[in-house]
Amino acid sequence: MIARLALAIAAGMLATSAAAQAAHEPRPYVTFENAAWTRDAVIYQINTRQFTREGTFRAAQDHLPRLAAMGVDIVWLMPIHPIGAVNRKGALGSPYAVKDYRAVNPDLGSEAELRAFIDQAHALGMKVILDWVANHSAWDNPLTARHPDWYKRSPEGTFMPPEGTDWSDVVAFDYANPALRAYMADSLAYWVREFGIDGYRADVAGYVPLDFWEAARRQLDAIKPAFMLAEWEQRDLHARAFDATYAWEWKQVMQRIARGEADAGAMRGYYAGQNVTWPRAAYRMVYTDNHDQNAWDGVASAIYGPAYEAAIALSFTGPGMPLIHNGQEADLDHQLAFFEKDAIVWQQGRYDPLFRTLIGLKTREAALHNGRHGGVLVDVPNSAPRSVLSFVRQQGASLVFAVFNLSPEPRHVTFTLARHHGTYVDAMAGGAPIGFSGGETLDLPAWGYRIFTQIP
């Protein structure tokens, strides 16, 4: 009797344990599938106003074959809507002061010319996303008169810019109003349905409630698979709304290293933190330049200095979805004006071949693909850890071994663990196969780097 009771209790405990274990099975944090074309995608940002002397979609369209030949996958157009006149900043105003969410800024061209730009990009195998300003509108957007209840109010009862900002040319929406949410989601859907847009870059996404973005994502995906990029750095955005978020921390770490305020250990720590605290399926957009965080300030490469090329190369070989800011490939030598006309002067820049090589490498090597589609970064310990970052990334048969001297002094380095052993080719310079089986050393100039791809 006692034996049978003991067996029954044991069986019950096993059943309870199995049920408890099932309740704690890992579940994917990201609940949607990324569009297939995002797996190895590289983004290129276009400020249409400054992109050409004409500042139009038609003129920008002439550059699309060049961008396709570079290997660009996603073209991000900064806001294409009419710009408000009331409280305008500068002569031309900010494109982020939207006067009409369902119209095209006539200074940039017509609806037909925008359609032609999108159609040409699609024909060349690229996707197009629009910059979307959901948090605020221009003061003279007709919505302020038709739906004043859609806007936040100051303690005095007046319209107000977003709290804590100096954005005096715009007024903040109040997302407590479901009618505003429906209008904004329908406007997002409008450009996907009517113009074939492939997704959005969401301006200050964290200033807008997350549940709005989640509902809008479902609405867009019902039309076609969308790509959503949030200008924000928060992992919750990835669960049901955004494919990609900004990796601001990556840029900040890289700039501190370039200024001598941190060393390679800071970047090693950044990547370790990404592995531990962010879902692998999250795309993190990494970049050296964009429209409001530009590397140039009147002195060429003033922020990165001689570390600039290494920073670009690391943005393509470490985990992340790389961004190219328009003009980087033409050695843009100043930060573009934001409220005035300041056209890019196009030339064959020194960085153009670098971008082409890095994009080709990222496309070919599955280890360098984005999010869950690429390989996890695994540190390869070396003899100069404060100066040199070395790592491998592997996905299937694709294995990449990269070594970056993130210091202003030449380094002679050996590797202390055999995580990288194999036979490789130099991905940047080519040449004869290179074997790593233990005891090898590398000599790296200041801010130098080597990227190797394994021979299967």
Side-chain angles (χ1 to χ4, degrees), residues 9 112 135 187 209-210 222 286 294 350 407:
I9 292 172
N135 171 252
S187 296
L210 178 54
V286 290
N294 200 284
R350 62 173 290 199
S407 80

Side-chain angles (χ1 to χ4, degrees), residues 89-436:
K89 291 187 176 183
L92 300 178
S94 168
Y96 294 89
V98 176
K99 190 173 181 179
D100 186 342
Y101 285 93
R102 301 190 189 183
V104 171
N105 183 349
D107 293 340
L108 306 181
S110 65
E111 288 190 357
E113 288 165 340
L114 175 60
R115 290 181 195 274
F117 178 95
I118 296 166
D119 290 345
Q120 174 74 353
H122 287 167
L124 291 168
M126 294 183 290
K127 306 296 183 181
V128 180
I129 65 173
L130 295 185
D131 212 326
W132 196 261
V133 190
N135 171 252
H136 50 266
S137 80
W139 286 83
D140 48 348
N141 188 308
L143 297 176
T144 60
R146 295 174 188 164
H147 303 285
D149 56 317
W150 289 6
Y151 289 85
K152 290 183 177 180
R153 301 288 179 144
S154 71
E156 293 73 34
T158 60
F159 291 148
M160 56 182 284
E163 294 179 69
T165 75
D166 62 353
W167 304 341
S168 57
D169 55 341
V170 296
V171 284
F173 283 121
D174 183 357
Y175 273 80
N177 194 310
L180 165 64
R181 291 175 174 237
Y183 166 83
M184 195 62 70
D186 288 346
S187 296
L188 287 162
Y190 168 79
W191 295 96
V192 174
R193 187 178 58 249
E194 302 299 328
F195 286 76
I197 286 296
D198 301 291
Y200 291 95
R201 178 264 188 188
D203 184 62
V204 288
Y207 281 23
V208 176
L210 178 54
D211 61 342
F212 164 77
W213 291 121
E214 292 173 344
R217 174 66 188 250
R218 291 192 296 270
Q219 188 168 339
L220 295 179
D221 280 345
I223 303 171
K224 71 174 185 178
F227 170 73
M228 297 293 288
L229 164 64
E231 188 202 18
W232 209 248
E233 195 164 22
Q234 181 180 337
R235 67 180 181 182
D236 291 353
L237 294 170
H238 289 280
R240 289 173 290 276
F242 287 94
D243 301 82
T245 52
Y246 273 49
W248 282 320
E249 187 183 353
W250 183 93
K251 179 186 67 66
Q252 292 161 359
V253 168
M254 190 65 232
Q255 289 181 353
R256 289 204 307 272
I257 293 171
R259 292 193 298 262
E261 298 168 1
D263 59 28
M267 187 60 76
R268 189 176 293 109
Y270 165 80
Y271 284 126
Q274 292 293 298
N275 283 346
V276 172
T277 63
W278 286 76
R280 188 178 171 199
Y283 296 166
R284 309 303 317 289
M285 190 182 77
V286 290
Y287 61 93
T288 52
D289 301 47
N290 83 349
H291 66 279
D292 58 358
Q293 295 172 314
N294 200 284
W296 308 90
D297 65 353
V299 180
S301 286
I303 293 177
Y304 294 97
Y308 189 50
E309 182 175 330
I312 293 171
L314 185 56
S315 75
F316 278 81
T317 50
M321 176 179 276
L323 168 75
I324 302 170
H325 177 240
N326 55 192
Q328 274 190 275
E329 74 274 35
D331 299 350
L332 181 67
D333 63 356
H334 68 284
Q335 183 168 345
L336 294 172
F338 203 69
F339 307 114
E340 314 290 343
K341 180 64 178 174
D342 184 14
I344 296 169
V345 177
W346 287 103
Q347 61 179 342
Q348 181 65 39
R350 62 173 290 199
Y351 296 109
D352 183 276
L354 175 67
F355 281 119
R356 292 172 185 266
T357 298
L358 290 170
I359 294 173
L361 175 64
K362 183 177 180 68
T363 301
R364 290 191 307 273
E365 294 293 335
L368 302 184
H369 288 182
N370 300 318
R372 69 187 114 191
H373 310 294
V376 173
L377 183 146
V378 177
D379 184 60
V380 175
N382 65 68
S383 59
R386 295 187 61 183
S387 299
V388 177
L389 174 71
S390 48
F391 60 86
V392 291
R393 296 181 64 194
Q394 182 169 13
Q395 184 74 356
S398 171
L399 176 62
V400 173
F401 173 39
V403 187
F404 285 81
N405 179 9
L406 300 181
S407 80
E409 302 294 335
R411 295 297 179 211
H412 181 79
V413 64
T414 59
F415 306 98
T416 56
L417 280 180
R419 295 171 176 172
H420 63 299
H421 285 183
T423 303
Y424 297 83
V425 294
D426 188 313
M428 307 300 286
I434 302 170
F436 291 96

Side-chain angles (χ1 to χ4, degrees), residues 17-74:
S17 176
Q21 181 174 316
H24 290 282
E25 282 292 322
R27 291 177 174 80
Y29 185 80
V30 176
T31 59
F32 58 87
E33 287 294 324
N34 312 109
W37 48 267
T38 67
R39 293 187 175 201
D40 60 348
V42 172
I43 307 174
Y44 187 97
Q45 178 188 15
I46 289 182
N47 180 342
T48 308
R49 175 194 289 171
Q50 316 295 28
F51 193 61
T52 62
R53 179 177 55 81
E54 300 85 351
T56 63
F57 301 127
R58 177 178 291 177
Q61 186 175 334
D62 292 339
H63 285 254
L64 289 177
R66 176 180 66 81
L67 297 182
M70 281 181 66
V72 168
D73 302 286
I74 300 172

